[in-house]
Amino acid sequence: MAGPESGPATRFGHADGPLAGLRVADFGQYVAGPLAAVLLADQGADVVHVDPPGGPRYGGVADAFFNRAKRRIVLDLRQQRDLAAAARLVAAADVVIENFRPGTLARLGLDLDVARAASPGLIVCSMPGFGADDPRAGLRAFEGIVAAATGNCRPRAGEQPPGWDWSRPTYSALPLASSFAAYLAALGVVMALIARRRTGQGQRVDVPLFDAMFTLIGHSGAYADDRGLRPPKGIHQRGAGAFRCRDGRYVQFDTSSPRHLSWFARAAGLLGDADPELLDLTANARPEVNERLHARLRELFATRTAGEWEELGNAAGAAIGFVRTPAEWIGTEQARLSGAVAQVDDPELGSIWCAGRPVTLSAFADPLAGPRRLPGADTAAVLAELADLPPRDISPGPEPELGSPLDGMRVLDLGIALAGPTCGRLLAEFGAQVIKISPPASGMGGYLNRGKDSLLLDVRAVAGLDVYWRLVDDADVVLENFSPGTADRLAIGYPEVHARRPAVVYTSISCYGPHGPWTGWRGWERQGQAVTGIMERTALPSVLGPYNIVDIGTGILAAFGTALALYHRQQTGEGQFVSASLAQTATCHQAAFMFSFPGFASSEPRGYDTLGEGPLHRFYQARDRWLFVAASQDDLPRLAAIAGVPGLAGLPGGPLAAALAAAFAVRAAESLVGELTAAGIAAHVVVPVGELMTSEAARTRGLSVTQQVAGAGPCTMPGISVRLSRTPARLGHPPRRPGEDAKALLAGVGLGDRLDDLDRGWVVRTSDLPAAWL
């Protein structure tokens, strides 16, 4: 069971994929570790998952997804014989994944740093709740704890229920901290594999759940220091929002691009409306006109069913998503043909539909998802293999002094909005030279441009195409998230790039993916949440969460797909087409609940009024602020002593919650949290994002950073969530003015002498540049 450098390995599942032959030892429990390992297994890695006696910590139906396509063994690390087997498993692995609290495995006798010293090619990926250098390292980081610590417990501005109390948190069952840590960990592992091929050395990859949330927070935590963090704004401009239809169901209508309102109005028969200001794209930007437009649209949407409006609007080129349940999404042809969901034969549940792969690589089209194996099903076979393994042989690499995994690689980032630029920023952090290309009239500054060179270029012009193709000739990756069909219409898409430069990795991001009947439909965060069932969880329905969970998640997963393709190219020299989509990401966010089979019914908490999973796992209001408590039945005696309420153990759910609420309401939150955590009970105060970005925990660990930005002065923004010990990610230079690097970039492709002509023809913009920071 050695790694790919030392020959093929006996494995379970499909042998096709960019990670075929790679061996992963998965010690993960709950969500983060198993999900990161599934992402690798789905791309061909041979993953051996280790369960403790008694089975996985997060069992039930969710196990059918989180441990699919893996071999499974049961080991009791408290027993010397099993501990020795675990050590052999680690010694045979290319990658080890774990998400325990820091030091847990070492205390059990399995020290992964010692294992790395013995096997220099080993990559160890850890996803604790809080990092080893965080004072909260010993805290059990349940999702509610991390949500409280990172402000991920608020409604989206403008999406809240009527009369909402903004001091009050809300709880979502979606394990977003674990999911984002898993996505970033999988990305970090593949980056470490790319570096290993260049250096011959493995390394540590650390992605604490708390740290991962800073990538999700993204632009929501970025601000110029002299202005401070801007209050979040609603997203209901020019008639955008949720509308009830004739059948009582809802659609989400998006006008992020104003002309989409015009296209929809034409198809819906609104042209010539009695109030001419409603469709005037200047007038309807005013709040009072926007209110009248919303009123008119409420009347209009009530005349057809949600499904009819979705079809009509998208046929017109507008972005409209029918707010479906997860079960309805699974049943759509789009979900199934796009690979967002997959059908597997589970050994206990039979034929089921569950979340599929969130990224697609053209060189490995339509790989079958492997089914789950039951705990211990492969123990005997794996232990027999371990007994006969030859030593691993990782050859020294040609670049032992490599600084970052993607050093020397160039990315053309044509991304717009959030998903594409997020992918480009991550690739820059891992060492690539990223050239951000935007149209001359629409370059935008800000946090997402950190570490990127910038060029304002009109690729519609013939002279602009000449510049573009010269840049492609030196590129390793081309990245775009244009509206469907735009790249093909401009003749700058994958077919043209691949014909000219077969070694280029071309990454495309869309709302629905490149396959299925909706592939030509437009969409943003709203539609990604609406059609897949996320929005239905709010019960209004409305956009879930204060942060852009679908856009930014898709940017991370697109970077993961790009890294997979670059890793494959290291071996083959071949480029390929990589696709990621908002709908696939939104499906993966819900993987713990995204199932369809006879008798399945989802029962997780829903709605903005939800405070948690039960009385021992929920938000409570203290005298001065809210906090989250995550306790178990075994904690009740200590909890009763701290709360000053004897007899808690005998109370049922409702009375228990009421007793705790009354006791906590008269206590100061920080003091209460201190007592609870000292007693071994997980608790954390709710920290708003503005407070988080200036906190010592974020500043000292590089999760919140300040850079001097030209024209804006000091600007604070999220830092780096993924730590690589040998080839670390880098922050990059501060955001520059869009277009600022035109002279150097054109000179680099032999067009420096044409800069003035290109500027005069508005092909390249070099003067009166937009601000570096919005």
Side-chain angles (χ1 to χ4, degrees):
M1 296 193 295
E5 287 86 348
S6 57
T10 303
R11 66 181 310 279
F12 168 75
H14 61 274
D16 195 21
L19 303 183
L22 196 78
R23 181 59 182 268
V24 178
D26 171 20
F27 290 89
Q29 293 295 320
Y30 297 105
V31 174
L35 176 55
V38 161
L39 293 174
L40 302 180
D42 278 348
Q43 299 299 331
D46 177 16
V47 177
V48 175
H49 177 76
V50 180
D51 285 304
R57 294 289 181 261
Y58 187 21
V61 173
D63 188 64
F65 171 81
F66 288 118
N67 283 309
R68 74 170 189 209
K70 304 175 183 178
R71 295 194 285 177
R72 297 180 75 171
I73 66 176
V74 172
L75 295 177
D76 184 351
L77 299 186
R78 295 167 298 183
Q79 302 296 321
Q80 191 58 43
R81 185 181 65 178
D82 284 6
L83 184 62
R88 293 197 302 273
L89 179 67
V90 168
D94 297 285
V95 178
V96 177
I97 290 175
E98 61 93 9
N99 62 310
F100 299 104
R101 281 173 284 176
T104 297
L105 284 179
R107 286 193 295 272
L108 290 171
L110 188 64
D111 192 322
L112 297 180
D113 287 332
V114 171
R116 282 184 55 243
S119 301
L122 181 64
I123 295 167
V124 173
C125 178
S126 295
M127 288 167 280
F130 296 94
D133 57 348
D134 191 309
R136 299 161 294 183
L139 191 63
R140 297 188 71 193
F142 293 97
E143 286 293 326
I145 296 291
V146 182
T150 57
N152 190 35
C153 49
R154 307 288 190 202
R156 178 69 60 92
E159 302 285 309
Q160 71 277 9
W164 181 256
D165 176 4
W166 281 101
S167 70
R168 183 189 191 279
T170 182
Y171 177 82
S172 170
L174 296 188
L176 293 173
S178 293
S179 295
F180 274 80
Y183 304 157
L184 288 165
L187 169 61
V189 164
V190 179
M191 289 296 179
L193 288 167
I194 290 172
R196 189 174 77 167
R197 277 198 169 139
R198 300 178 73 175
T199 67
Q201 298 291 317
Q203 57 188 306
R204 284 194 65 92
V205 178
D206 289 292
V207 191
L209 273 62
F210 176 75
D211 298 22
M213 288 298 295
F214 283 80
T215 296
L216 171 55
I217 290 167
H219 66 287
S220 298
Y223 56 91
D225 288 11
D226 65 348
R227 295 197 300 261
L229 191 65
R230 295 176 179 176
K233 298 188 299 183
I235 48 175
H236 299 97
Q237 294 81 6
R238 293 190 173 91
F243 293 93
R244 184 181 174 91
C245 302
R246 190 180 68 197
D247 54 356
R249 304 297 298 276
Y250 285 80
V251 293
Q252 271 286 347
F253 179 40
D254 201 310
T255 59
S256 296
S257 178
R259 66 175 179 268
H260 294 177
L261 173 63
S262 302
W263 296 345
F264 172 75
R266 182 172 56 203
L270 279 180
L271 297 183
D273 195 273
D275 187 344
E277 285 190 316
L278 299 187
L279 300 180
D280 184 316
L281 298 182
T282 300
N284 62 25
R286 303 199 308 267
E288 67 276 11
V289 179
N290 188 35
E291 288 182 12
R292 300 203 309 270
L293 175 57
H294 272 86
R296 179 68 183 92
L297 289 175
R298 283 193 292 271
E299 295 174 353
L300 178 69
F301 279 106
T303 63
R304 297 175 189 248
T305 67
E308 290 169 343
W309 280 120
E310 183 180 59
E311 291 287 344
L312 182 149
N314 283 287
I320 295 182
F322 177 4
V323 179
R324 291 173 170 81
T325 66
E328 289 172 332
W329 164 242
I330 290 174
T332 65
E333 187 179 8
Q334 181 61 38
R336 298 181 178 193
L337 292 180
S338 67
V341 299
Q343 189 174 30
V344 298
D345 290 323
D346 186 82
E348 287 187 336
L349 305 174
S351 179
I352 68 171
W353 286 93
C354 60
R357 291 174 177 77
V359 295
T360 304
L361 278 67
S362 62
F364 306 98
D366 301 323
L368 297 176
R372 168 177 64 151
R373 301 276 283 177
L374 295 179
D378 303 291
T379 302
V382 170
L383 294 183
E385 290 175 30
L386 290 172
D388 298 326
L389 278 178
R392 180 199 287 107
D393 180 21
I394 302 293
S395 301
E399 302 173 82
E401 303 302 319
L402 182 73
S404 295
L406 302 185
D407 276 358
M409 298 188 192
R410 174 177 282 190
V411 176
L412 303 187
D413 175 2
L414 289 85
I416 57 176
L418 290 178
T422 294
C423 176
R425 181 184 57 76
L426 288 167
L427 297 177
E429 289 178 359
F430 284 108
Q433 179 196 10
V434 177
I435 301 171
K436 180 70 179 74
I437 299 176
S438 304
S442 63
M444 295 181 65
Y447 151 76
L448 289 172
N449 287 342
R450 184 179 69 201
K452 301 179 184 179
D453 296 338
S454 178
L455 177 65
L456 298 179
L457 175 69
D458 184 0
V459 295
R460 298 170 301 176
V462 172
L465 283 174
D466 183 33
V467 176
Y468 172 75
W469 287 117
R470 292 195 186 211
L471 290 169
V472 169
D473 287 342
D474 288 333
D476 298 279
V477 176
V478 174
L479 161 68
E480 54 88 0
N481 62 323
F482 297 135
S483 294
T486 299
D488 291 337
R489 187 171 64 252
L490 296 173
I492 60 171
Y494 176 68
E496 291 80 14
V497 169
H498 183 69
R500 185 178 181 111
R501 286 265 292 146
V504 166
V505 172
Y506 187 102
T507 300
S508 179
I509 300 171
S510 62
C511 187
Y512 299 109
H515 306 293
W518 303 355
T519 190
W521 290 7
R522 293 175 168 85
W524 284 271
E525 176 86 16
R526 288 179 183 277
Q527 284 67 45
Q529 289 200 24
V531 303
T532 59
I534 288 182
M535 202 169 282
E536 180 260 349
R537 297 176 182 281
T538 69
L540 285 179
S542 58
V543 177
L544 177 72
Y547 311 131
N548 285 63
I549 63 174
V550 175
D551 279 327
I552 295 174
T554 303
I556 299 169
L557 288 166
F560 169 60
T562 303
L564 288 167
L566 289 172
Y567 180 69
H568 180 251
R569 191 182 74 161
Q570 284 181 308
Q571 186 173 14
T572 66
E574 300 169 356
Q576 59 184 299
F577 181 81
V578 177
S579 66
S581 74
L582 305 184
Q584 287 171 281
T585 299
T587 304
C588 198
H589 284 345
Q590 303 173 86
F593 316 109
M594 185 66 70
F595 294 96
S596 178
F597 58 86
F600 174 73
S602 185
S603 59
E604 65 275 11
R606 279 176 159 76
Y608 281 130
D609 291 334
T610 299
L611 290 172
E613 302 280 349
L616 297 180
H617 197 97
R618 56 161 279 184
F619 289 101
Y620 283 99
Q621 187 173 19
R623 186 179 67 215
D624 51 348
R625 65 198 300 178
W626 287 77
L627 70 151
F628 193 89
V629 177
S632 68
Q633 290 292 325
D634 292 340
D635 296 324
L636 278 173
R638 284 166 290 151
L639 191 59
I642 293 169
V645 183
L648 284 182
L651 295 177
L656 175 57
L660 290 174
F664 293 162
V666 298
R667 302 285 301 277
E670 290 282 6
S671 173
L672 180 56
V673 166
E675 287 189 51
L676 290 166
T677 55
I681 299 171
H684 205 290
V685 297
V686 172
V687 181
V689 66
E691 181 180 332
L692 175 67
M693 294 303 296
T694 59
S695 68
E696 183 178 0
R699 301 291 293 178
T700 59
R701 300 183 63 250
L703 298 169
S704 173
V705 298
T706 299
Q707 292 185 314
Q708 290 288 332
V709 178
C715 293
T716 295
M717 65 200 85
I720 292 173
S721 297
V722 184
R723 297 186 184 186
L724 273 64
S725 61
R726 183 176 293 276
T727 56
R730 64 191 187 193
L731 197 63
H733 59 71
R736 295 173 179 160
R737 291 179 301 164
E740 184 173 331
D741 301 293
K743 182 176 181 180
L745 292 172
L746 265 65
V749 294
L751 294 174
D753 59 343
R754 293 181 53 194
L755 180 61
D756 290 342
D757 290 341
L758 293 169
D759 187 25
R760 282 192 294 270
W762 199 243
V763 175
V764 172
R765 181 178 173 184
T766 63
S767 59
D768 192 24
L769 297 175
W773 194 270
L774 298 177

